[in-house]
Amino acid sequence: PWFFKGITRTEAEDKLQLFGRNVLLVRESSLEGCYAISVFDCHRVNAWHLIHFLLKRKKDPSSPTGELWYVD
C-alpha cells in the first residue's frame, strides 16, 4: 500500500527504511486537512535521505474538483 492512515513521521521513516531504497508513502499530516509524502531516496552511492513534503489544498475554480493540491 502507498497510503498509511494514522502514522507519525517517525513511524513513516521506520517503514520506509524497511521497504528499501527509492520508495515513498503518503500519510496524514499532523496539520489538519493536509497530507505528507515521505520519501526514502538515494542521490549518490551510500547517501540516503529521508525527505518529507507537506501537501496542502486550496480552492481553484479552474480545477474539475474545485480544489488543487500543492507541495508546500
Side-chain angles (χ1 to χ4, degrees):
W2 57 270
F3 179 73
F4 290 82
K5 184 175 181 168
I7 67 169
T8 65
R9 179 184 182 131
T10 301
E11 290 170 323
E13 291 173 353
D14 292 342
K15 285 186 181 301
L16 288 172
Q17 290 180 25
L18 289 174
F19 293 150
R21 62 184 185 189
N22 301 325
V23 293
L24 66 87
L25 62 80
V26 177
R27 61 185 173 82
E28 294 173 313
S29 171
S30 58
L31 296 176
E32 187 176 337
C34 297
Y35 292 92
I37 300 174
S38 299
V39 181
F40 189 42
D41 187 28
C42 178
H43 293 287
R44 299 181 307 265
V45 175
N46 297 324
W48 298 101
H49 300 278
L50 280 162
I51 307 165
H52 303 276
F53 300 96
L54 182 63
L55 290 174
K56 290 185 173 180
R57 151 176 53 194
K58 67 179 178 179
K59 295 191 183 295
D60 182 357
S62 65
S63 170
T65 62
E67 58 188 24
L68 175 70
W69 289 89
Y70 66 98
V71 175
D72 187 28

